Amino acid sequence: MHDRPDPALVSLSTGAQLLDHVDALADLLVDTVAGGASVGFLAPFERAEALAWWAAQAPLLADGRQTVWLASGAGGQPLGTISLLRADKPNSRHRAEIVKLMVRRDARGRGVGGVLLAAAEAAALAEGRTLLMLDTETGSPAEALYARRGWTSIGVVPGHAAAPSGEPRPTTFFYKSLSA
C-alpha cells in the first residue's frame, strides 16, 4: 500500500504564475498522455507540444476564466494538476467546468486526485459557483474517483474522444451541485 501524500497545493491564477510553473505542468501532461489517459492529445506527444499548450492557457488565467492548481510532493516534485474553467456568459456565471485533472503515473492511487478535486470544488463554491461539470473517459480510474466524490453521471457518449492511441473511446459526462 502506498503512503498517502499530503501534497502542497499552489493555486495559479495569473498568466505569469502559470508560466513560472510551465515546466512542471508540461512534464505532468507528457506523463499523463504517455500513460494512456485521454486528456485531449494523441501520441506521440512531445514536451515542446506540452509547453506550447500550457503557455497558450496563460491568457485564460490572465482574464480570470481559469485557475490551475499544482500539487507537489516532497522536495517540490510535481504530482498532479487540475483546472477550473469558468463559464463566462451572463446566464451561466453560476457554473464552471473541471478540466485536465492529471496525476503523475507513479503518484496515482495515493489521494492526489481527491485533494486536487476538493481544492477546485472549494474554490468554485467560495466564488459562488454552484454547479460543476466535467467529462472523462468511461472506465478510467478518474471516472471511479468522480463517482466516489459525489459526482452524478449524466450519461455516456460512445466514441466521443480518442485515446492517445487514436482509438475512439466513450466519454462519461458528470455534474456536481455545490452548496454551502
Side-chain angles (χ1 to χ4, degrees):
M1 174 140 181
H2 296 286
D3 292 330
R4 293 240 175 236
D6 187 16
L9 290 182
V10 175
S11 174
L12 312 175
S13 57
T14 70
Q17 289 172 332
L18 177 95
L19 294 175
D20 286 345
H21 292 88
V22 73
D23 288 318
L25 292 164
D27 291 342
L28 283 167
L29 181 52
V30 168
D31 181 74
T32 300
V33 174
S38 178
V39 290
F41 304 95
L42 299 176
F45 186 67
E46 302 297 327
R47 189 168 192 276
E49 294 173 274
L51 286 165
W53 185 84
W54 277 111
Q57 303 311 297
L60 295 174
L61 278 73
D63 69 14
R65 284 184 287 166
Q66 184 170 328
T67 301
V68 175
W69 286 265
L70 177 61
S72 300
Q77 181 180 35
L79 300 175
T81 185
I82 193 169
S83 297
L84 182 70
L85 185 61
R86 294 161 186 86
D88 60 355
K89 294 180 181 74
N91 72 341
S92 59
R93 292 196 178 126
H94 65 288
R95 70 177 194 243
E97 185 177 357
I98 298 291
V99 295
K100 302 291 186 267
L101 172 58
M102 297 180 271
V103 175
R104 207 178 64 223
R105 285 180 284 179
D106 63 0
R108 291 183 188 156
R110 297 179 2 202
V112 176
V115 169
L116 287 162
L117 191 56
E121 289 174 3
L125 183 58
E127 62 187 50
R129 308 284 171 164
T130 57
L131 178 65
L132 295 178
M133 299 185 74
L134 62 80
D135 66 81
T136 193
E137 183 179 336
T138 304
S140 69
E143 181 182 32
L145 169 67
Y146 300 131
R148 282 193 313 273
R149 302 278 310 184
W151 286 71
T152 301
S153 172
I154 301 167
V156 175
V157 177
H160 181 264
S165 66
E167 175 190 354
R169 304 300 274 288
T171 298
T172 303
F173 287 80
F174 286 91
Y175 77 91
K176 187 170 188 178
S177 294
L178 304 176
S179 59

Coordinates of all heavy atoms in Angstrom, one line a residue, residues 92-140:
S92 N -24.7 32.0 -17.2 CA -24.1 30.7 -16.8 C -22.9 31.0 -15.7 O -22.1 30.2 -15.5 CB -23.5 30.0 -18.0 OG -22.6 30.8 -18.7
R93 N -23.0 32.2 -15.1 CA -21.9 32.5 -14.2 C -22.0 31.7 -12.9 O -21.1 31.9 -12.1 CB -21.9 34.0 -14.0 CG -21.4 34.7 -15.2 CD -21.0 36.1 -15.0 NE -20.6 36.7 -16.3 CZ -21.1 37.8 -16.8 NH1 -22.0 38.5 -16.1 NH2 -20.6 38.3 -17.9
H94 N -23.0 30.9 -12.7 CA -23.1 30.1 -11.5 C -22.4 28.7 -11.7 O -22.4 27.9 -10.8 CB -24.6 29.9 -11.2 CG -25.3 29.1 -12.3 ND1 -25.6 29.6 -13.5 CD2 -25.7 27.8 -12.3 CE1 -26.2 28.7 -14.3 NE2 -26.3 27.6 -13.6
R95 N -21.9 28.5 -12.9 CA -21.3 27.2 -13.1 C -19.8 27.3 -13.6 O -19.4 28.4 -14.1 CB -22.1 26.4 -14.1 CG -22.1 26.9 -15.5 CD -23.0 25.9 -16.4 NE -22.7 26.2 -17.8 CZ -23.6 26.7 -18.6 NH1 -24.9 26.9 -18.2 NH2 -23.3 26.9 -19.9
A96 N -19.1 26.2 -13.6 CA -17.8 26.1 -14.1 C -17.5 24.6 -14.5 O -18.3 23.7 -14.2 CB -16.8 26.5 -13.0
E97 N -16.4 24.4 -15.1 CA -16.0 23.1 -15.6 C -14.7 22.7 -15.0 O -13.8 23.5 -14.9 CB -16.0 23.1 -17.1 CG -15.7 21.8 -17.7 CD -15.7 21.8 -19.2 OE1 -16.0 22.8 -19.9 OE2 -15.5 20.7 -19.8
I98 N -14.6 21.5 -14.6 CA -13.3 20.9 -14.1 C -12.7 20.3 -15.4 O -13.3 19.5 -16.1 CB -13.6 19.7 -13.1 CG1 -14.2 20.3 -11.8 CG2 -12.2 19.0 -12.8 CD1 -13.4 21.2 -11.0
V99 N -11.4 20.7 -15.6 CA -10.7 20.2 -16.8 C -9.3 19.8 -16.4 O -8.7 20.4 -15.4 CB -10.7 21.3 -17.9 CG1 -12.1 21.6 -18.5 CG2 -10.0 22.6 -17.5
K100 N -8.8 18.9 -17.1 CA -7.4 18.5 -17.1 C -6.9 18.1 -15.7 O -5.8 18.5 -15.2 CB -6.4 19.6 -17.6 CG -6.7 19.9 -19.1 CD -6.4 18.8 -20.0 CE -6.5 19.2 -21.5 NZ -7.8 18.9 -22.0
L101 N -7.7 17.2 -15.0 CA -7.2 16.6 -13.8 C -6.2 15.5 -14.2 O -6.5 14.6 -14.9 CB -8.3 15.9 -13.0 CG -7.9 15.1 -11.8 CD1 -7.1 15.9 -10.8 CD2 -9.1 14.5 -11.1
M102 N -4.9 15.7 -13.8 CA -3.9 14.8 -14.2 C -3.0 14.5 -12.9 O -2.7 15.5 -12.2 CB -3.0 15.5 -15.2 CG -3.7 15.8 -16.6 SD -2.5 16.5 -17.8 CE -2.8 18.2 -17.4
V103 N -2.7 13.3 -12.8 CA -1.8 12.9 -11.7 C -0.7 12.0 -12.3 O -1.0 11.1 -13.1 CB -2.6 12.1 -10.6 CG1 -1.6 11.5 -9.5 CG2 -3.7 12.9 -10.0
R104 N 0.5 12.3 -11.9 CA 1.6 11.6 -12.4 C 1.4 10.1 -12.2 O 1.0 9.7 -11.1 CB 2.9 12.1 -11.8 CG 4.1 11.9 -12.7 CD 5.4 12.5 -12.1 NE 5.7 11.7 -10.9 CZ 6.1 12.2 -9.7 NH1 6.3 13.5 -9.6 NH2 6.3 11.5 -8.7
R105 N 1.8 9.3 -13.1 CA 1.6 7.8 -13.0 C 2.1 7.2 -11.7 O 1.4 6.4 -11.1 CB 2.2 7.1 -14.2 CG 1.4 7.3 -15.5 CD 2.1 6.5 -16.6 NE 3.2 7.3 -17.1 CZ 4.0 6.9 -18.0 NH1 3.8 5.8 -18.7 NH2 5.1 7.7 -18.4
D106 N 3.3 7.6 -11.3 CA 3.8 7.0 -10.1 C 3.2 7.6 -8.8 O 3.6 7.2 -7.7 CB 5.3 7.0 -10.0 CG 5.9 8.4 -10.0 OD1 5.2 9.4 -10.0 OD2 7.2 8.5 -10.0
A107 N 2.3 8.5 -8.9 CA 1.6 9.1 -7.7 C 0.1 8.7 -7.7 O -0.6 9.1 -6.7 CB 1.8 10.6 -7.7
R108 N -0.3 8.0 -8.6 CA -1.7 7.6 -8.7 C -2.1 6.6 -7.6 O -1.3 5.8 -7.1 CB -2.1 7.0 -10.0 CG -2.0 8.1 -11.1 CD -2.4 7.6 -12.5 NE -2.2 8.6 -13.5 CZ -2.0 8.3 -14.7 NH1 -2.0 7.1 -15.2 NH2 -1.7 9.3 -15.6
G109 N -3.4 6.7 -7.2 CA -3.8 5.8 -6.1 C -3.5 6.2 -4.7 O -3.6 5.4 -3.8
R110 N -2.9 7.4 -4.6 CA -2.5 7.9 -3.3 C -3.2 9.1 -2.8 O -2.8 9.8 -1.9 CB -1.0 8.2 -3.3 CG -0.2 6.9 -3.6 CD 1.3 7.1 -3.8 NE 1.8 8.4 -3.5 CZ 3.0 8.9 -4.0 NH1 3.8 8.1 -4.7 NH2 3.4 10.1 -3.7
G111 N -4.3 9.4 -3.4 CA -5.2 10.5 -2.9 C -4.9 11.9 -3.5 O -5.6 12.9 -3.2
V112 N -4.0 12.0 -4.4 CA -3.6 13.3 -5.0 C -4.8 13.9 -5.8 O -5.1 15.0 -5.7 CB -2.4 13.2 -5.9 CG1 -2.1 14.5 -6.6 CG2 -1.2 12.8 -5.1
G113 N -5.4 13.0 -6.6 CA -6.6 13.5 -7.4 C -7.7 14.0 -6.5 O -8.3 15.0 -6.8
G114 N -8.0 13.3 -5.4 CA -9.0 13.8 -4.5 C -8.7 15.1 -3.9 O -9.6 15.9 -3.7
V115 N -7.4 15.3 -3.5 CA -7.0 16.6 -2.9 C -7.2 17.7 -3.9 O -7.7 18.8 -3.6 CB -5.5 16.5 -2.4 CG1 -5.0 17.9 -2.1 CG2 -5.4 15.6 -1.2
L116 N -6.8 17.5 -5.2 CA -6.9 18.5 -6.2 C -8.4 18.8 -6.5 O -8.8 19.9 -6.6 CB -6.2 18.0 -7.5 CG -4.7 18.0 -7.5 CD1 -4.1 17.2 -8.6 CD2 -4.2 19.5 -7.6
L117 N -9.2 17.7 -6.6 CA -10.6 17.9 -6.9 C -11.3 18.7 -5.7 O -12.1 19.6 -6.0 CB -11.3 16.6 -7.1 CG -12.7 16.6 -7.6 CD1 -12.8 17.3 -8.9 CD2 -13.2 15.1 -7.7
A118 N -11.0 18.4 -4.5 CA -11.5 19.1 -3.4 C -11.1 20.6 -3.4 O -12.0 21.5 -3.1 CB -11.1 18.5 -2.1
A119 N -9.9 20.9 -3.8 CA -9.5 22.3 -3.9 C -10.2 23.1 -4.9 O -10.7 24.2 -4.7 CB -8.0 22.4 -4.1
A120 N -10.4 22.5 -6.1 CA -11.2 23.1 -7.1 C -12.6 23.3 -6.8 O -13.2 24.4 -7.0 CB -11.0 22.3 -8.5
E121 N -13.2 22.3 -6.2 CA -14.6 22.4 -5.7 C -14.8 23.5 -4.7 O -15.7 24.3 -4.8 CB -15.1 21.1 -5.2 CG -15.3 20.0 -6.2 CD -15.6 18.6 -5.6 OE1 -15.8 18.5 -4.3 OE2 -15.7 17.6 -6.4
A122 N -13.9 23.6 -3.7 CA -14.0 24.6 -2.7 C -13.8 26.0 -3.2 O -14.6 26.9 -2.8 CB -12.9 24.3 -1.6
A123 N -12.9 26.1 -4.2 CA -12.7 27.5 -4.8 C -13.9 27.9 -5.6 O -14.4 29.0 -5.5 CB -11.5 27.4 -5.7
A124 N -14.5 26.9 -6.3 CA -15.7 27.2 -7.1 C -16.8 27.7 -6.2 O -17.5 28.7 -6.4 CB -16.1 26.0 -7.9
L125 N -17.1 27.0 -5.1 CA -18.1 27.3 -4.2 C -17.9 28.7 -3.5 O -18.8 29.5 -3.4 CB -18.3 26.2 -3.1 CG -19.4 26.4 -2.1 CD1 -20.7 26.5 -2.8 CD2 -19.4 25.3 -1.1
A126 N -16.6 28.9 -3.1 CA -16.2 30.2 -2.5 C -16.6 31.4 -3.4 O -16.8 32.5 -2.9 CB -14.8 30.2 -2.1
E127 N -16.5 31.2 -4.7 CA -16.8 32.3 -5.6 C -18.2 32.3 -6.1 O -18.6 33.0 -7.0 CB -15.8 32.4 -6.7 CG -15.8 31.2 -7.6 CD -14.6 31.3 -8.6 OE1 -13.5 31.5 -8.2 OE2 -14.9 31.1 -9.8
G128 N -19.1 31.4 -5.5 CA -20.5 31.4 -5.9 C -20.9 30.5 -7.0 O -22.0 30.6 -7.5
R129 N -20.0 29.7 -7.4 CA -20.3 28.7 -8.5 C -21.0 27.5 -7.8 O -20.4 26.9 -6.9 CB -19.0 28.2 -9.2 CG -18.1 29.3 -9.7 CD -18.6 29.9 -11.0 NE -17.8 31.1 -11.3 CZ -17.9 31.7 -12.5 NH1 -18.6 31.2 -13.4 NH2 -17.1 32.8 -12.7
T130 N -22.2 27.2 -8.2 CA -22.9 26.2 -7.5 C -23.1 24.9 -8.4 O -23.7 23.9 -7.9 CB -24.3 26.7 -7.1 OG1 -25.0 27.2 -8.3 CG2 -24.2 27.8 -6.1
L131 N -22.7 24.9 -9.6 CA -22.8 23.8 -10.5 C -21.5 23.6 -11.2 O -20.9 24.5 -11.8 CB -23.9 24.0 -11.5 CG -24.1 22.9 -12.5 CD1 -24.6 21.6 -11.8 CD2 -25.1 23.3 -13.6
L132 N -20.9 22.4 -11.1 CA -19.7 22.0 -11.8 C -20.0 20.9 -12.8 O -20.9 20.0 -12.5 CB -18.6 21.5 -10.8 CG -18.1 22.6 -9.8 CD1 -17.1 22.0 -8.9 CD2 -17.5 23.8 -10.6
M133 N -19.3 20.8 -13.9 CA -19.4 19.8 -14.9 C -18.1 19.3 -15.3 O -17.1 20.0 -15.1 CB -20.2 20.3 -16.1 CG -21.6 20.8 -15.7 SD -22.6 21.3 -17.1 CE -23.0 19.7 -17.8
L134 N -18.0 18.1 -15.8 CA -16.8 17.6 -16.4 C -17.1 16.4 -17.2 O -18.2 15.9 -17.2 CB -15.8 17.2 -15.2 CG -16.2 16.1 -14.2 CD1 -16.0 14.7 -14.8 CD2 -15.4 16.2 -13.0
D135 N -16.1 15.9 -18.0 CA -16.2 14.7 -18.7 C -14.9 13.9 -18.6 O -13.8 14.5 -18.3 CB -16.6 14.9 -20.2 CG -15.5 15.6 -21.0 OD1 -14.5 15.0 -21.4 OD2 -15.6 16.9 -21.1
T136 N -15.0 12.6 -18.7 CA -13.8 11.7 -18.6 C -14.0 10.5 -19.4 O -15.2 10.1 -19.7 CB -13.5 11.4 -17.1 OG1 -12.2 10.9 -17.0 CG2 -14.6 10.5 -16.5
E137 N -13.0 9.8 -19.6 CA -13.1 8.5 -20.4 C -13.8 7.5 -19.5 O -13.5 7.3 -18.4 CB -11.7 8.0 -20.8 CG -11.7 6.7 -21.6 CD -10.4 6.2 -22.0 OE1 -9.4 7.0 -22.0 OE2 -10.3 5.0 -22.3
T138 N -14.8 6.9 -20.1 CA -15.6 5.8 -19.5 C -14.7 4.7 -19.1 O -13.9 4.2 -19.9 CB -16.7 5.4 -20.4 OG1 -17.5 6.5 -20.8 CG2 -17.6 4.3 -19.7
G139 N -14.8 4.2 -17.9 CA -14.0 3.1 -17.4 C -12.6 3.5 -16.9 O -11.9 2.6 -16.5
S140 N -12.3 4.7 -16.9 CA -11.0 5.2 -16.4 C -11.0 5.3 -14.9 O -12.0 5.4 -14.3 CB -10.6 6.5 -17.0 OG -11.5 7.5 -16.5

